Structure formats: C-alpha cells, structure tokens
Amino acid sequence: MARGVFLLAIFVATTIRFDAAAPIRYRFSFPEPQHRWMQVEATFPDLGPAGLELRMSRSSPGRYSLHDFAKNVYDVHAFGADGAALSTTRPDPYGWNVPSHGASVTVKYKVFGDRLDGTYLAVDETHAHINMPAAIMWAHGLDDRPITVVFEQPARTTWTVATQLHAAGPLEFTAPNLQYLMDSPAEFGPVALRQFTVDRHTFRFALHQAGTDADLDGFVKDVEKIVRQEGAIYGEYPDYEPGSYTFLADYLPYADGDGMEHRNSTVMTAPSSIAGGRAELLDTVAHEFFHCWNVERIRPKDLEPFDFDRANPSGALWLAEGFTQYYGPLVMQRAQLVDLGSSTREFAGLIESASAPGHLMRTAEEMSRMAPFTDGGRTFERTNFSVSVISYYPQGGAIALALDLSLRDRSDGRVSLDDFMRAMWRKYGKAGGSREGYVDHPYTIADAESTLGEVSGDPAFARDFFARYIQGHGIADYARLLSRAGLEVRRRSPGHAWIGDVRLESRGGARVANLMSPTWPIYASGIDEDDELQQADGRAIAGANDLATVLQRHKPGDRISIVFKDRTGVPKTTTVVLGEDPHIEVVAVEPTAAQRAFRDRWLSSR
Ligand SMILES: [Zn+2]
Ligand SMILES: [Zn+2]
C-alpha cells in the first residue's frame, strides 16, 4: 500500500510539473508572401540542462512516405532568453541541435512552401495553408508540453484562421501537446465559413475558393447528407475535441488534388471548382469524413503514436485506407448524390485493381507496408511497382466489397460491413485517448480478425477470410457475390484476343513503354520495356493501332509471330500465344424481387 501511495505521489508531482511548464510558443509571420516563405519564431521555455534537439519532421500523419521537411528550412538562428545568439550544430540532415543554453531557447527560421495540398506548406499572397509537420521545428522530449500558436496578419489583409486547434483569440490558438499540434493543419486566408448541426454535433465547412457563395451554400447541403449517412453507419459521431469538426477546403486553380484526414478536421484541395468538379469534390468529402472514425480513432496499432523521426509503416492500410475508399462512393450512392452506374463503375474498378498481377507477388498486408515507398514517395531508379504493387486503396476497397457482400450473403442481409465498422468503433475507437491527440486502444490485424469473428458469429469464417484475402493471394468470387444484388460481372470484350496491357510509344518504331507482367501472354516471348516491335503476324507495327488491328484478326489461343529489336539493337523473332482480354465491367441487370431487396438493403439511404 505504501508503495502505491508513493507512486501516486510521483504521478501527481509529474503532472504538476507538466502543467506548470509554460507553453512552447510559435509565431508565424509572412513578411513577403509573394516569395512563398513563412517566418517562424519558436520559443521553448523551462528547459533543463540537456542539449536541445530541434527537429523538422521526416514524415506527416496520413502520408506514408518520407518528406524530410528540413530541406525547405533556412536562415536558422537560436537565441537565449537574453537575446544572445546560441551556437547550433547539424548532427544529421533533419535538425539543429543547441548544445548549451539557459532555461529558454528561441529559434527563428524561414521555411519555403509552394505546394497546396494536404502534406506541405503553401504561402502566397492569397493565403497561408499550413500542414504543421512541413512548417514547425519541435524539440525531442517535450512532446507533452502545451503549445500556443500565434498568426500575424500580413499587411493589407483581413485573413482569418480555420483549424481544429483550440481557439484562444482570433489569431491565437492552443494545442495540449505536440501530437495534437502536428495533426492540426491551418488555413489562414479569405475563408468563407458555413456550419450545420447533426445530433448536437457542429460541423464547419471552411472554404477558400474562386467560386460564388451560392456554390458553397448548395455544396454544404450535400456535405450534410454525407455526414448524416456516415453517422448512420456508426450510430453516433465522435466527440470532436475542439467542440466541432472542420472541413478545410481549398478549391483553387493552383491547388494540387488531395485529401488528408485529421482527428477533428480534414484538408481537401483541388484545382477544380464546385461548379466544375462537384461529384469528385463530394467523393473526397465522403472519403475524408469517414476517416474521423476509421484511422483517426479506429487506429492501427503500428501508427500509434505517430513517429515524426521516421516513416511509419502499417500492415493495416487495406482497412484504414482501403475500407474508407470503399465507403466513400458507397455513401455517395446512399446519399443519392450519384446514380447506380457510377457505383457499378466503382465496383468494376476495385475488382480490376485487386485482380492486377501484383496480387500474386504481395499480400494485402504486404502491399500496405509498401506505403512508405509509394504514398507520395518518388523513386529515382526504375522499379517494377507497375506489375508488383497494387495500391492498398482499391485493393482494400475490393476486400471491403467482398467482405460486405459475404456478410450480407451468409446472413441474408442481416449482418453487413456496417456492423463490423460499428463493432471496431465501439471496441477500439470510441474510448478515445486519455491524452488528447492519442488513441488508447489501437487495433492489430488479429484484433480486426477476432472482431469479424464476433460480428459474423463465425470465427472460422473470419480466419478463412483473413487467410485468403489479407495474408494470402486469393481473389474473392465477385461475380457470385454481386449477383446477389442483381449486378453482373462480365468481360468488357468477350472473345477478344489479348497480348497483355502493352503500351506502345511511336518514336521512330513502336517502343514498348511499360514493364511486362509475368501473367500476360507476351511475357513468355521475352519482349519487355524499351524493346521495339517491328512486325506482328507479318504486318508492320508503327504504333498501338497497328497492333490492335492484328489482334482483331485473331482469337484467343492463336499463335502470332513478332519481329522486334531488343533494346541493345539485336533483331529477334518470337511467338506469342494470345489470351482472352480479361478486363471486366459490372452492369446492373433487371433484378428479381430477392435481388432488389438485397440491393436496397445495401445501397439505399439510411
Ligand atoms: Zn487557402
Ligand atoms: Zn484516406
């Protein structure tokens, strides 16, 4: 008992110490926005004697490749409380150390940013769009310190700030700790704000656009439909920490298309306008808002807490991103914002992606772990990703489609993927975190499997499903599953001869412009990227049309000879046994009464 009291005393003392520490203070100013840089001043008070390790993030939550944001930072100077300059060192490319200092250090630096999306910093005369990991220098070991952020109004502007940070004034905000700050993007600009309430929760839509107020008003009505449909899946909304959820949208010609989820907000950027790209913009709303449950609170264990010093690989992105990718268009259908044809095209796209050759080379879990190389990552060298990697977005979306239909199929519509998501929310998401910005009960893949066992009432079904489609190389029987809803999976070009999805570039001859997959008929012929096709079946080949003409004269199983020059210039002749074009489409057929009931339970509004 004495020991317990002793520990409690330490705990209280520790808490008091953190509470007593003055906040770390950031000040953002924009002396020359036309030149796309931001001035940052950061003060770290109440420091101990150890050297201060100032860091720029290497990664950003929700985007899984390394970005090494230190590359955009320059003019770095550190000062003590008395204003005297302190010397800094560069122990590695990612930060600055201040080896000796007093109780307080202020660092001043400039950071350049000219990419308007969910990952980077964008500063110009129209706004400052700030993703925190791209902009702020933080210090190792001070993760739990409270933080204050102050925005300085640029000359001749009347910008306002939209953010999930806690407001302490029009241009002053707070965060309880580093994790929450890093998760809180800010839009500082001419923001138009609308809000609505559902089930006592407030939703704010903050838009920077070139369109009209009427465009925005109409758009927000559709956003509310999406918010209601997604709330119906989970049965409730999370308790958003600042008291509201905020959509941060930049629909501007100079934006890059992106969506990025956060706990209590999302950043959505697009070069299109509401008038010009409505359906696509709403699809992003549906995807990103779903994340306020799935990934932000129903969180994979390998992403919690997020580590800003390295890439954060997860084996569960097929669920965190892929299931979200499935629900976005599904919710658009349930909100009656798209027609059935749009949904069947989505389903066909998911099935095609999941069936791509890469599924034989890596499992869904392994594809998720490729994210640090593929999600916003760029490789200098050639890779074989085009044939060996499937994005976990459509692959996971296809797995969600298979799981939703399987659950409905085996329960006659009584159990669905909605039940699984709700169960995951209740077990892992709803409790939230004892510290704001954290999740106390993140899930493992084994947890997801056991939850499926509970929801389906059949652990053996769950084990089999995970073994086949998450940890194995199986492809679900989509034709049978979709037929339950009166949707037919069929070949787009039945009986057409096919050599593989070869891209030819007419540059002098017909140069092969992509890597050949081992699953394509042409692979065995030895032809591959950079080789030049000259003749097929006796006909001169100068481009893609010539090859298509040859294929039209043949049927699957025919052999044709191909004359080509390999990339070293050596002439060769080979033979290809043609296959059948495997590409599929999904079409709605006139449903029986049972099929209609199945389809309605699945796709109609809640
Ligand atoms: Zn903006
Ligand atoms: Zn997403």
Side-chain angles (χ1 to χ4, degrees), residues 116 126-129 187-190 208 249-250 252:
L116 178 48
T126 71
H127 68 171
H129 184 87
E187 162 75 9
F188 187 27
H208 181 192
D250 273 80
L252 295 164

Side-chain angles (χ1 to χ4, degrees), residues 459-595:
F461 160 76
R463 177 80 287 268
D464 182 64
F465 190 93
F466 273 66
R468 282 172 196 266
Y469 308 125
I470 311 304
Q471 283 128 1
H473 300 273
I475 297 293
D477 186 353
Y478 291 98
R480 192 190 72 74
L481 291 168
L482 283 163
S483 72
R484 290 292 314 262
L487 301 180
E488 188 188 340
V489 179
R490 65 187 189 196
R491 298 225 172 187
R492 221 186 294 159
S493 306
H496 283 220
W498 180 71
I499 195 169
D501 292 335
V502 181
R503 278 197 293 118
L504 294 180
E505 251 175 29
S506 306
R507 217 196 287 159
R511 195 183 68 89
V512 177
N514 59 334
L515 202 63
M516 301 299 97
S517 163
T519 57
W520 296 347
I522 193 172
Y523 189 86
S525 75
I527 294 170
D528 217 310
E529 188 164 12
D530 298 332
D531 294 346
E532 189 184 303
L533 303 195
Q534 296 183 309
Q535 272 183 30
D537 197 29
R539 183 188 168 107
I541 302 293
N545 289 344
D546 296 323
L547 183 60
T549 303
V550 170
L551 293 175
Q552 273 159 23
R553 292 202 304 244
H554 287 276
K555 47 185 199 318
D558 288 358
R559 307 168 75 86
I560 61 168
S561 76
I562 293 182
V563 179
F564 71 104
K565 254 191 323 198
D566 77 13
R567 69 172 171 182
T568 68
V570 176
K572 293 179 176 171
T573 300
T574 186
T575 303
V576 178
V577 181
L578 300 175
E580 184 181 5
D581 188 335
H583 295 294
I584 59 111
E585 60 185 1
V586 175
V587 291
V589 297
E590 191 52 39
T592 63
Q595 286 171 329

Side-chain angles (χ1 to χ4, degrees), residues 276-541:
R278 190 185 190 93
E280 209 179 317
L281 297 178
L282 286 170
D283 189 74
T284 303
V285 168
H287 178 101
E288 297 306 327
F289 186 64
F290 198 81
H291 275 314
C292 79
W293 293 274
N294 192 27
V295 95
E296 290 301 334
R297 291 175 173 84
I298 305 170
R299 192 148 178 85
K301 194 164 193 172
D302 37 23
L303 294 181
E304 182 66 19
F306 199 83
D307 186 342
F308 298 97
D309 278 318
R310 61 176 181 90
N312 291 242
S314 169
L317 297 181
W318 54 269
L319 199 171
E321 280 298 348
F323 280 31
T324 305
Q325 186 75 0
Y326 168 70
Y327 268 105
L330 179 64
V331 164
M332 290 284 282
Q333 176 76 59
R334 288 179 181 174
Q336 298 175 305
L337 295 168
V338 291
D339 60 18
L340 185 58
S342 166
S343 293
T344 54
R345 280 191 298 278
E346 285 285 348
F347 300 148
L350 296 180
I351 297 166
E352 282 257 294
S353 297
S355 314
H359 85 269
L360 297 169
M361 304 184 200
R362 291 187 173 97
T363 66
E365 194 175 330
E366 289 166 342
M367 291 297 182
S368 290
R369 293 191 196 283
M370 291 299 287
F373 307 118
T374 60
D375 184 40
R378 293 217 175 123
T379 49
F380 184 71
E381 83 281 28
R382 280 184 166 180
T383 65
N384 72 346
F385 290 176
S386 64
V387 298
S388 72
V389 173
I390 303 172
S391 163
Y392 45 85
Y393 284 83
Q395 187 186 38
I399 292 167
L401 174 65
L403 183 53
D404 198 0
L405 293 174
S406 297
L407 288 168
R408 291 169 188 278
D409 175 49
R410 61 205 308 284
S411 69
D412 248 335
R414 285 190 310 280
V415 180
S416 74
L417 194 63
D418 295 4
D419 297 295
F420 171 75
M421 295 311 301
R422 206 176 308 122
M424 289 292 285
W425 159 246
R426 289 183 181 155
K427 283 174 73 172
Y428 302 106
K430 186 173 177 169
S434 43
R435 286 178 297 166
E436 200 175 304
Y438 290 82
V439 171
D440 284 355
H441 303 286
Y443 69 87
T444 62
I445 292 177
D447 292 332
E449 182 187 317
S450 74
T451 303
L452 179 60
E454 290 157 26
V455 168
S456 64
D458 186 350
F461 160 76
R463 177 80 287 268
D464 182 64
F465 190 93
F466 273 66
R468 282 172 196 266
Y469 308 125
I470 311 304
Q471 283 128 1
H473 300 273
I475 297 293
D477 186 353
Y478 291 98
R480 192 190 72 74
L481 291 168
L482 283 163
S483 72
R484 290 292 314 262
L487 301 180
E488 188 188 340
V489 179
R490 65 187 189 196
R491 298 225 172 187
R492 221 186 294 159
S493 306
H496 283 220
W498 180 71
I499 195 169
D501 292 335
V502 181
R503 278 197 293 118
L504 294 180
E505 251 175 29
S506 306
R507 217 196 287 159
R511 195 183 68 89
V512 177
N514 59 334
L515 202 63
M516 301 299 97
S517 163
T519 57
W520 296 347
I522 193 172
Y523 189 86
S525 75
I527 294 170
D528 217 310
E529 188 164 12
D530 298 332
D531 294 346
E532 189 184 303
L533 303 195
Q534 296 183 309
Q535 272 183 30
D537 197 29
R539 183 188 168 107
I541 302 293

